[in-house]
Amino acid sequence: MSEIADKVKKIVVEHLGVDEAKVTPEASFIDDLGADSLDTVELVMAFEEAFGVEIPEDAAEKITTVKDAIDYIEKQKAE
Amino acid sequence: MRRVVVTGMGIVCPLGVGVEHVWKRLINGESGISAIQSFDTTELTAKIAGQVPAGPSAEGGLDLAEWIPAKEVKKMDRFIHHGMVAAAQAMADSGYVPETEEEKYRAGVMIGSGIGGLQTIYETSVMVHEGRAKRVSPFFIPAALINLISGQVSIRYGLKGPNHSAVTACATGVHAIGDASRLIAYGDADVMVAGGAEAAVNPLGIAGFCASRALSTGFNDRPTEGSRPWDKDRDGFVMGEGAGVVVLEEYEHAKARGAKIYAEIGGYGMSGDAHHITAPAEHHDGAFRAMKAAFKNGGLSPEDVDYINAHGTSTPMGDDLELEAVENMFGAHGKKVAMSSTKSAIGHLLGAAGAVETIFSILAIRDNVAPPTLNLHNPSRESVVNRVPLTAQARKIDVALSNSFGFGGTNASILFKRAN
């Protein structure tokens, strides 16, 4: 697993208070990890802070799974 | 009107967490006031406060991990933490768990706060000031809003009845419990979880009350002596923090499920001073009328009262004015009642004060003991009213009165009587 994926997973575990094993790439924040809409807003803010990236609202809306988040951040970092 | 009784109680205060633990310490004459360590007080004239001790609940301390999931803790200001912990105790104590939808519709919440999420507002303001508005948490508003304590408690326990909050400064706790009891009396609910929660022991809270010249500043080197209601050396109140929550229940409802009944509401009265934003009116006329209204409401008279838990904040002006109002109200019976201020031990919990003091009044009835007024060595003026100086007094107590008055000239009095 990449360094980014590791860090994303850690942030998700910390913010949503879920078991690390549940945080699979396919896991949906809302459907599988018990987040509500405010939790996802906070999660995106935490990603921005941790990785020093900007995630505009329209992009944030499309980040619904752990993999979505990892892919988006990896792409930003590559640019 | 339907009868209303108290069937559950919970306390978080400077003497600790848990009703029996706190009550034992209070009766022993212990103080919960100490020097402020959690933030820098260099610029503040008041450097002492009543702070909730950290630690495991088995030792009477507060450890949030025992009470609230970590994921939820950050969505709440500290005042909500206090309220949640007191509510959890009260619910467990009452043993009431609404099961059917209909039962849930008949159970509500009315927990208030004087100030609400002050520390959260402060920290978030700093972020905005530093140009980090984008980093403001989506939980900022729901963490700071006063009625979110009622919202959070309703969510935790599935209470779908009336959901409300009182906000009347230092009278909040009594107003919340009194108003909630009326919702039951009028038939809007069968069960109400009611009380007050506060957490204003922070730089902004202390600075604000320092500026209004309300806090004690002369006992920074002797914290436990700072809160001294009616004593001639008193120089202001000592800020406290915490929460008091009770479960109120319609009498037949409580009886039908075999609930333990602590006491019955014996009357509730309110008044306004229409005088000054912070100072009480002459002769504390508002306090007099609030007590009078409570007696009229419950059909009791001053002669029925055995114990008064005074507002008694330890301010030079307020204490003697309340005493005067009590003397005027009780007349010749004044020499037969015991009146104490438990703020001498825990400080002034603002919006939580009336709720915690309500619980102390009920325990005074249960155990037939009047808790002491600490540090009352030399009363600033003599009175026929026994103010229970320094040590607790065992005496027959069947009816207790609790007073709370708030900035804005708002006054509330509530009576409790032994249930039979």
Side-chain angles (χ1 to χ4, degrees):
Chain A
M1 203 182 269
S2 74
E3 199 180 309
I4 287 174
D6 253 357
K7 210 159 150 187
V8 164
K9 200 170 160 178
K10 212 176 138 225
I11 290 168
V12 172
V13 167
E14 195 177 302
H15 281 263
L16 300 182
V18 287
D19 228 12
E20 211 180 312
K22 280 189 160 177
V23 188
T24 59
E26 296 73 31
S28 153
F29 299 128
I30 290 178
D31 297 334
D32 302 317
L33 302 177
D36 62 23
S37 59
L38 293 182
D39 288 320
T40 59
V41 172
E42 197 199 34
L43 211 46
V44 166
M45 286 170 61
F47 294 146
E48 289 182 321
E49 187 113 344
F51 296 102
V53 297
E54 281 260 352
I55 308 179
E57 209 151 314
D58 52 342
E61 278 169 18
K62 291 183 194 121
I63 298 176
T64 62
T65 66
V66 176
K67 186 171 182 301
D68 291 342
I70 296 167
D71 289 351
Y72 185 87
I73 295 160
E74 279 181 341
K75 200 168 146 236
Q76 293 289 305
K77 285 292 190 190
E79 275 170 12
Chain B
M1 279 307 139
R2 308 196 309 160
R3 296 168 64 185
V4 182
V5 295
V6 177
T7 58
M9 308 194 289
I11 290 183
V12 174
C13 81
L15 282 174
V17 174
V19 170
E20 301 305 331
H21 173 78
V22 167
W23 179 239
K24 195 173 155 217
R25 296 192 67 195
L26 184 75
I27 295 303
N28 282 345
E30 294 176 48
S31 169
I33 313 296
S34 58
I36 295 170
Q37 304 285 1
S38 55
F39 54 90
D40 182 14
T41 57
T42 309
E43 293 293 314
L44 302 167
T45 50
K47 302 177 193 299
I48 59 173
Q51 300 159 95
V52 175
S57 60
E59 290 165 24
L62 179 62
D63 176 4
L64 290 178
E66 293 179 37
W67 303 92
I68 308 170
K71 173 177 175 271
E72 303 299 319
V73 166
K74 62 174 189 217
K75 301 179 183 176
M76 305 167 182
D77 181 83
R78 186 168 163 83
F79 91 95
I80 298 183
H81 297 155
H82 290 156
M84 290 294 282
V85 174
Q89 295 168 43
M91 286 300 286
D93 187 32
S94 79
Y96 186 59
V97 182
E99 273 155 16
T100 66
E101 276 301 291
E102 192 51 39
E103 283 170 356
K104 290 177 182 175
Y105 297 157
R106 301 291 302 162
V109 189
M110 181 153 7
I111 304 173
S113 180
I115 299 187
L118 195 60
Q119 180 65 14
T120 299
I121 293 170
Y122 169 72
E123 286 168 7
T124 309
S125 302
V126 170
M127 286 178 73
V128 173
H129 179 76
E130 290 171 346
R132 293 188 290 144
K134 270 188 172 170
R135 300 255 79 89
V136 170
S137 164
F139 302 111
F140 162 53
I141 297 292
L145 290 182
I146 284 179
N147 73 298
L148 260 286
I149 174 57
S150 291
Q152 290 281 14
V153 168
S154 74
I155 293 164
R156 168 71 65 87
Y157 299 101
L159 311 177
K160 298 186 178 180
N163 200 272
H164 205 330
S165 280
V167 180
T168 50
C170 308
T172 296
V174 169
H175 275 132
I177 291 168
D179 289 355
S181 75
R182 291 224 169 139
L183 294 183
I184 295 174
Y186 274 71
D188 296 280
D190 295 326
V191 176
M192 287 295 294
V193 181
E198 205 73 79
V201 179
N202 52 50
L204 198 52
I206 299 288
F209 281 99
C210 275
S212 61
R213 301 291 185 269
L215 296 180
S216 168
T217 58
F219 295 87
N220 289 332
D221 56 340
R222 293 169 284 158
T224 61
E225 296 175 33
S227 186
R228 43 195 318 115
W230 300 296
D231 188 84
K232 70 173 175 53
D233 295 327
R234 70 185 184 274
D235 68 342
F237 79 78
V238 176
M239 183 96 87
E241 62 173 3
V245 172
V246 296
V247 174
L248 300 172
E249 200 165 340
E250 193 270 324
Y251 175 67
E252 296 296 339
H253 187 276
K255 234 174 68 175
R257 69 180 186 91
K260 158 187 68 206
I261 295 176
Y262 283 105
E264 179 172 354
I265 304 269
Y268 166 53
M270 297 159 276
S271 75
D273 286 349
H275 172 68
H276 186 267
I277 51 172
T278 60
E282 258 186 89
H283 314 297
H284 221 318
D285 164 64
F288 182 88
R289 288 183 292 109
M291 289 188 277
K292 192 175 170 186
F295 286 122
K296 181 165 182 265
N297 170 249
L300 291 172
S301 73
E303 286 71 34
D304 296 317
V305 173
D306 306 296
Y307 171 67
I308 303 168
N309 189 296
H311 185 58
T313 58
S314 185
T315 55
M317 193 185 190
D319 291 5
D320 280 347
L321 283 173
E322 181 182 11
L323 178 61
E324 185 184 349
V326 165
E327 287 168 339
N328 291 341
M329 172 58 59
F330 284 78
H333 184 67
K335 61 178 183 293
K336 293 187 184 159
V337 297
M339 172 164 82
S340 62
S341 170
T342 47
K343 288 186 178 78
S344 59
I346 62 173
H348 188 356
L349 274 59
L350 310 181
V356 170
E357 291 159 15
T358 276
I359 295 172
F360 292 160
S361 301
I362 291 167
L363 292 169
I365 294 172
R366 185 192 71 177
D367 294 349
N368 289 303
V369 60
T373 304
L374 304 186
N375 303 312
L376 177 51
H377 297 284
N378 302 295
S380 55
R381 85 168 174 75
E382 291 306 317
S383 171
V384 296
V385 180
N386 163 12
R387 283 164 281 170
V388 200
L390 310 178
T391 50
Q393 294 176 10
R395 53 187 295 135
K396 184 88 182 105
I397 300 175
D398 289 323
V399 174
L401 168 74
S402 187
N403 284 336
S404 283
F405 317 126
F407 278 4
T410 177
N411 312 294
S413 296
I414 194 161
L415 286 154
F416 293 93
K417 58 186 181 186
R418 190 179 297 281
N420 41 33

